[in-house]
Amino acid sequence: MAEAWEVRKNDGVARVKSIFIYPIKSCKPISVQHASISPTGFVWDRHWMVINSKGRGCTQRVEPRLALIQVDLPLEAFSPAWQPNHSSYLVVRAPGMPELKVSLAKPSLLSQGVSVWEWSGSALDEGHEAAQWFTDFLGKPSRLVRFNEESETRPTDPAYATGFNVKFTDAFQFLLISQASLDAVNEQLEEPVNINRFRPNIFVDGCESFAEDLWKQIIINESKFDGVMLCPRCKVPSINQEDATQGNEPTATMMKFRSAKVLKVDTTTTQYKGRVYLGQMLVCEDDSNSWGKIISVGDVIHVEKVFPSYADVAV
């Protein structure tokens, strides 16, 4: 891979437009004005996951109705150094279901043999009431588990980023997409789609379309983020996040201009042949003691390094 070259763009054009946190993997996000950075990504992001009877993590790929589940956390939960108490809850809602309140206090139950992608381990189990709620809504045996930070770690793929950890996210700590890139996709579609189809953590505005594809290193509020991989899109963008129905778009249209073949990225050693790409996946370095620092809507994106071409970008 060619050496990234440095470029400075401190003119304040590109800024954070929205921040999304997904407390339960594959369920609806919470849009926040600011978020704290932890060693595994934003605090509360993919902190919980629904598992099936075999302990395997459930996603919209096989359970599209997860898209209908809305979650809420106390507003103060997004403040630095906030600690939950016994009156703090994760609140879960879905059409036709009673409200579920899950205490943020550490549960006493453990689920063994929990797995997501290549990782397996133990997880904190949120108990019978939560399990029954998700079982009733999805129509099959399900449980809600919480990542067990005290005893488990889940490293990122060392082929792309060494020395970083995540919780229940698919691969890396953050996903960044720009408004201009979404606009460019929507210009090709008969029916435009919302950014919620692509599930970013950091949604930015003020850059050119697909500029983020080549961002090798950016700084936001003194925290340094490394771009490690273009995001290969699965079937989730084809799922309507309002009614959980699935179609062919936007993936079918994106194959015409966002496939590996069109972008001329090297897929000879990757499992993602035949995918379309949108967004840059990031990890956060702790060079400046980033843990606990805040990223806020309106923050400037300082692009420090870029890749010369798509041929140099990891996929």
Side-chain angles (χ1 to χ4, degrees):
M1 183 175 291
E3 192 70 22
W5 50 274
E6 292 194 3
V7 60
R8 297 282 175 173
K9 184 184 177 182
N10 293 336
D11 56 6
V13 172
R15 293 179 179 271
V16 176
K17 179 177 182 178
S18 303
I19 299 171
F20 300 106
I21 293 176
Y22 306 80
I24 304 178
K25 183 177 180 66
S26 250
C27 296
K28 288 184 182 295
I30 298 176
S31 178
V32 298
Q33 290 297 303
H34 55 81
S36 297
I37 300 173
S38 82
T40 57
F42 283 138
V43 173
W44 301 116
D45 193 53
R46 277 78 170 196
H47 199 66
W48 288 269
M49 179 172 68
V50 181
I51 59 173
N52 63 20
S53 59
K54 296 181 179 180
R56 188 72 179 166
C58 298
T59 73
Q60 290 184 34
R61 299 174 186 88
V62 294
E63 298 293 346
R65 279 171 57 80
L66 288 170
L68 305 178
I69 297 176
Q70 178 68 57
V71 297
D72 288 298
L73 285 164
L75 184 61
E76 60 270 21
F78 300 99
S79 300
W82 181 81
Q83 293 295 321
N85 55 49
H86 286 279
S87 61
S88 306
Y89 294 93
L90 172 77
V91 181
V92 186
R93 302 179 180 90
M97 296 292 294
E99 181 180 275
L100 173 68
K101 296 178 73 173
V102 178
S103 174
L104 294 184
K106 180 182 175 180
S108 58
L109 295 177
L110 275 180
S111 280
Q112 301 290 344
V114 171
S115 62
V116 55
W117 294 110
E118 78 298 333
W119 178 89
S120 63
S122 66
L124 301 173
D125 192 300
E126 297 294 0
H128 175 74
E129 183 181 0
Q132 191 63 55
W133 192 97
F134 283 94
T135 295
D136 291 345
F137 184 69
L138 296 176
K140 58 188 67 175
S142 307
R143 302 195 72 83
L144 181 66
V145 298
R146 184 189 308 196
F147 196 85
N148 192 355
E149 298 174 279
E150 293 184 2
S151 66
E152 301 288 349
T153 56
R154 184 173 168 236
T156 57
D157 186 339
Y160 297 93
T162 303
F164 298 92
N165 295 310
V166 292
K167 291 181 182 173
F168 291 135
T169 190
D170 271 357
F172 299 101
Q173 295 172 347
F174 306 91
L175 173 61
L176 182 149
I177 300 175
S178 72
Q179 176 70 63
S181 298
L182 176 66
D183 292 344
V185 170
N186 280 332
E187 286 173 3
Q188 304 296 319
L189 299 175
E190 290 186 10
E191 296 184 11
V193 296
N194 191 283
I195 190 59
N196 62 12
R197 294 284 191 106
F198 299 103
R199 303 177 69 78
N201 295 109
I202 305 172
F203 189 38
V204 306
D205 202 3
C207 63
E208 295 182 359
S209 58
F210 310 120
E212 67 270 23
D213 291 355
L214 301 181
W215 289 354
K216 172 58 179 174
Q217 188 176 89
I218 63 175
I219 293 177
I220 310 175
N221 193 24
E222 301 183 349
S223 291
K224 186 185 298 182
F225 298 82
D226 293 331
V228 294
M229 184 181 180
L230 287 182
C231 185
R233 309 312 311 213
C234 61
K235 66 190 291 186
V236 172
S238 67
I239 298 172
N240 187 317
Q241 298 296 296
E242 307 308 317
D243 61 15
T245 58
Q246 185 176 345
N248 295 321
E249 296 291 5
T251 304
T253 294
M254 289 177 66
M255 285 297 296
K256 301 174 184 177
F257 67 104
R258 292 297 297 175
S259 69
K261 181 178 180 180
V262 173
L263 295 177
K264 294 183 170 57
V265 295
D266 182 7
T267 59
T268 56
T269 60
T270 182
Q271 59 181 312
Y272 303 113
K273 293 180 181 180
R275 298 282 190 91
V276 298
Y277 295 85
L278 188 69
Q280 179 71 263
M281 293 192 282
L282 311 168
V283 292
C284 183
E285 298 184 15
D286 195 31
D287 290 354
S288 56
N289 298 314
S290 293
W291 312 152
K293 284 192 174 179
I294 295 291
I295 299 299
S296 300
V297 170
D299 281 349
V300 175
I301 311 294
H302 299 282
V303 181
E304 299 291 306
K305 296 180 181 180
V306 298
F307 283 116
S309 71
Y310 279 100
D312 304 289
V313 179
V315 295

